[in-house]
């Protein structure tokens, strides 16, 4: 489940958390679910500044040559906070999940 938090005058912030069955979202958060689908997964470890180059490569180079296209859904990046703290926020370890579907439009529903 994703949740949105919005304070007055600030942009909406998307966070992905897992709630157990019957648990409710914390106060000030709105529950939101993303449709099941296919995701291309990319692992990254390196300088924080390199994440921009990774995203550029995924969308400019990898995706057009993959026979897939971006499916209209959020790109989810899961970060390892231990790496951030150990490097004083200079390095990152993360997994980027890009929602994709086949060029013919199929593949957006899991079977």
């Amino acid at each position: 489940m994703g949740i949105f938090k919005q304070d007055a005058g600030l942009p909406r912030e998307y966070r992905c958390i897992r709630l157990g069955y019957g648990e409710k979202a914390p106060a000030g958060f709105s529950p939101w679910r993303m449709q099941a689908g296919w995701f291309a997964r990319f692992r990254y470890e390196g300088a924080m500044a390199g994440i921009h180059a990774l995203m550029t490569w995924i969308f400019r180079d990898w995706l057009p040559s993959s026979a897939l296209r971006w499916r209209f859904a959020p790109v989810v990046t899961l970060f390892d906070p231990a790496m951030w703290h150990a490097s004083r926020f200079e390095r990152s370890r993360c997994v980027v999940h890009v929602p994709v579907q086949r060029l013919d439009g199929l593949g957006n529903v899991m079977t």
Side-chain angles (χ1 to χ4, degrees):
M1 166 189 288
I3 54 175
F4 281 106
K5 179 170 176 60
Q6 183 171 10
D7 295 322
L10 296 176
R12 293 176 85 177
E13 181 178 321
Y14 174 77
R15 296 182 186 179
C16 185
I17 64 169
R18 183 181 190 123
L19 298 175
Y21 181 76
E23 281 186 87
K24 298 200 182 287
F29 288 84
S30 303
W32 179 82
R33 294 182 191 272
M34 189 162 45
Q35 178 185 10
W38 294 357
F39 288 81
R41 184 172 64 190
F42 302 87
R43 295 184 185 279
Y44 174 80
E45 185 170 334
M48 287 290 292
I51 294 174
H52 181 267
L54 170 66
M55 294 296 188
T56 300
W57 175 80
I58 290 170
F59 284 95
R60 188 189 65 204
D61 300 324
W62 183 84
L63 198 56
S65 64
S66 71
L68 300 169
R69 67 178 178 181
W70 174 65
R71 180 173 57 89
F72 186 71
V75 172
V76 176
T77 307
L78 304 175
F79 292 95
D80 176 2
M83 173 69 83
W84 282 343
H85 294 287
S87 69
R88 296 184 180 207
F89 297 94
E90 292 180 10
R91 295 185 57 78
S92 183
R93 180 183 302 134
C94 63
V95 180
V96 177
H97 299 267
V98 178
V100 294
Q101 63 186 33
R102 294 188 336 214
L103 288 175
D104 59 12
L106 300 175
N108 58 346
V109 178
M110 298 195 63
T111 57

